[in-house]
Amino acid sequence: SGWQAGTSWREPGYTQKGGMPVVCVSHNDAQAYIKWLNSVSDQGYRLPSETEWEYAARAGNGDKYSFGNSESKLCAYGNGADSKLKRNISDWKWPVNTRCDDGYTFTAPVASYRANVYGLYDMHGNVWEWTQDCWNDNYNNAYSNNQANFQGECGRRVLRGGSWNQKPLNLRSAYRNQSPVS
């Protein structure tokens, strides 16, 4: 997470091809896109609440991942830090999933991995996903009715799902992160 000077969705610092997920997009950028999309479609699109996102990612189970608890299966379901990343970035200093080689160093094309039982792709890794919720240090005050939580630190918003550079712990359905809105 976190924006870096000199990067943008066009130039994230690594090669992006057609079919790749959009990267280097702030919460404000995502909201502007949704506003535009709604103006041309009349569909009422919005970012999911944190509760909705986790429900979708868990796909009906209480395990670490939508497919169970095995980190070795992450390669089949998502793009995270693994042996391929370690081989291709020799000075990589953070933990990787050595039981896994998902075939990509950075981002992977959307839907390159198995869908969860709800038919949703890319819920574990690839790129962090924005939610509507304001950041709170814990999940204790999350709404059970799927509404976004607009209490807390609203200059920061909740990210879920992890990304290509994250260890298995950070790809769990329950893992939370945050970033400034701009």
Side-chain angles (χ1 to χ4, degrees), residues 45-178:
Y45 292 105
R46 63 175 175 76
L47 291 173
S49 70
E50 184 174 11
T51 305
E52 289 170 324
W53 190 96
E54 187 165 333
Y55 178 83
R58 285 193 178 280
N61 77 49
D63 296 332
K64 289 180 185 177
Y65 310 101
S66 63
F67 52 85
N69 292 314
S70 174
E71 290 179 2
S72 64
K73 291 184 179 179
L74 271 172
C75 282
Y77 289 89
N79 182 15
D82 63 9
S83 56
K84 172 96 177 188
L85 183 148
K86 184 74 171 163
R87 278 194 314 276
N88 290 338
I89 303 177
S90 59
D91 61 346
W92 189 259
K93 297 175 179 73
W94 297 278
V96 300
N97 186 353
T98 56
R99 293 169 283 213
C100 195
D101 183 339
D102 63 24
Y104 294 93
T105 302
F106 302 107
T107 56
V110 172
S112 292
Y113 305 96
R114 292 182 188 164
N116 69 20
V117 297
Y118 288 168
L120 301 172
Y121 294 89
D122 302 323
M123 299 304 287
H124 304 291
N126 218 14
V127 298
W128 287 103
E129 298 175 17
W130 287 110
T131 70
Q132 195 75 321
D133 294 60
C134 297
W135 175 252
N136 287 275
D137 288 337
N138 60 53
Y139 200 47
N140 295 342
N141 294 322
Y143 295 114
S144 59
N145 61 2
N146 294 329
Q147 290 182 345
N149 185 353
F150 293 108
Q151 303 297 313
E153 193 177 336
C154 293
R156 296 180 156 312
R157 296 297 173 116
V158 177
L159 294 167
R160 298 301 290 267
S163 75
W164 59 268
N165 63 358
Q166 298 292 303
K167 61 188 176 184
L169 179 70
N170 298 0
L171 303 182
R172 293 174 300 121
S173 299
Y175 191 78
R176 308 169 68 239
N177 204 345
Q178 50 79 28

